[in-house]
Amino acid sequence: MADDDGIEMYGEIKQKLIRRKQEWARDGRLLTGNQAMADRTQRLPPGQRLTQDWPVLDLGIQPDVPLDKWKLVIDGLVEKPQEWKWQDFLSQPVFEDVSDIHCVTTWSRYDNHWEGVSTAHILELIRPKAAARHVIMHAYDGYTTNVTLEAFAAPDALLAHRWEGKPISRQHGGPVRLVIPQYYFWKSPKWIRRIEISARDKPGFWEERGYNNEGDPWKEERYS
């Protein structure tokens, strides 16, 4: 009975969180209307505030994926689909990058040191077909989100497994999460398990609930 009660309580908390975020989108909460920085001449996007911390935001589930069970599938409209286990992932060329995080809930964190596998390397391996235009990401907690193939291929985008010299913690998306610095961080899913290359767009979890389909912080694309 206790387990059932716990599941029910979790479901209620999750639904309250989702409803609150949908209300934010409907009401345009946190929007400043400042489009003056759309050219990215300033480092901090409109409506953002700096933090030294890395706040934890999720849907209430933090999957525990043991390394010996972890698997990443990269498939869809590609010439050479991939299925990597942990050692396969670690055997790829190491990519390191420093970038800023901008969360749609208005916090930003500068100069994050990442280590992992670049998306450019992944695209080189899988060879997307000519009709490919979009990338749909699927996470171990059931979360999905979407970006264009061009955004996924950005030179600073990567699948990260280390942050600030240490393995990314479970709460922040470990063992592997996506990092696409040019967008709000909901476009960088935690606990990544599948990368699907597609000819058509497939809006993800928050995009279907009032969030912008692109998510450029400098254009303040928080909501649709």
Side-chain angles (χ1 to χ4, degrees):
M1 178 63 72
D3 288 344
D4 291 341
D5 290 345
I7 291 171
E8 183 177 348
M9 181 178 293
Y10 157 71
E12 291 176 0
I13 292 171
K14 178 180 177 181
Q15 290 306 315
K16 285 181 181 178
L17 169 65
I18 293 170
R19 284 196 299 270
R20 185 168 72 249
K21 293 291 187 68
Q22 286 181 286
E23 289 171 359
W24 289 8
R26 183 194 64 212
D27 299 339
R29 189 171 183 270
L30 309 176
L31 291 174
T32 69
N34 183 2
Q35 297 294 311
M37 290 185 284
D39 59 359
R40 303 178 185 236
T41 54
Q42 297 188 43
R43 187 174 183 181
L44 190 67
Q48 297 295 111
R49 56 179 175 77
L50 284 180
T51 181
Q52 298 299 314
D53 300 321
W54 187 1
V56 177
L57 297 172
D58 53 48
L59 296 179
I61 305 173
Q62 295 181 0
D64 185 7
V65 187
L67 297 184
D68 61 346
K69 302 293 184 183
W70 182 86
K71 180 174 67 174
L72 174 67
V73 173
I74 312 167
D75 62 2
L77 207 59
V78 301
E79 298 288 349
K80 298 185 68 175
Q82 304 285 313
E83 184 173 307
W84 292 347
K85 294 184 178 179
W86 185 246
Q87 289 305 317
D88 299 320
F89 178 76
L90 293 184
S91 71
Q92 306 304 314
V94 176
F95 178 73
E96 296 185 42
D97 190 63
V98 178
S99 63
D100 301 339
I101 296 173
H102 304 297
C103 180
V104 71
T105 59
T106 74
W107 61 265
S108 293
R109 188 182 191 281
Y110 286 167
D111 297 325
N112 298 274
H113 294 72
W114 308 103
E115 183 179 321
V117 177
S118 72
T119 57
H121 171 70
I122 291 171
L123 292 173
E124 204 174 287
L125 287 179
I126 63 174
R127 291 164 32 198
K129 295 182 179 180
R133 296 289 184 275
H134 301 276
V135 182
I136 320 301
M137 281 80 69
H138 305 258
Y140 275 94
D141 65 343
Y143 181 80
T144 59
T145 191
N146 57 316
V147 296
T148 63
L149 185 62
E150 181 181 10
F152 184 80
D156 55 0
L158 76 155
L159 291 180
H161 70 100
R162 295 179 71 82
W163 175 77
E164 302 300 336
K166 298 179 181 179
I168 293 178
S169 67
R170 174 183 171 187
Q171 65 180 353
H172 286 304
V176 178
R177 69 168 301 146
L178 192 70
V179 177
I180 301 181
Q182 64 180 298
Y183 285 155
Y184 286 121
F185 219 42
W186 92 77
K187 290 288 189 177
S188 297
K190 303 178 180 183
W191 311 295
I192 192 78
R193 69 170 181 83
R194 182 187 175 205
I195 298 170
E196 175 191 0
I197 309 300
S198 175
R200 65 185 183 87
D201 198 11
K202 301 177 185 178
F205 184 88
W206 286 120
E207 292 81 13
E208 289 184 334
R209 290 166 173 81
Y211 278 54
N212 194 279
N213 203 49
E214 298 297 326
D216 186 327
W218 285 269
K219 296 179 182 178
E220 210 172 15
E221 292 177 337
R222 300 183 194 274
Y223 314 119
S224 58

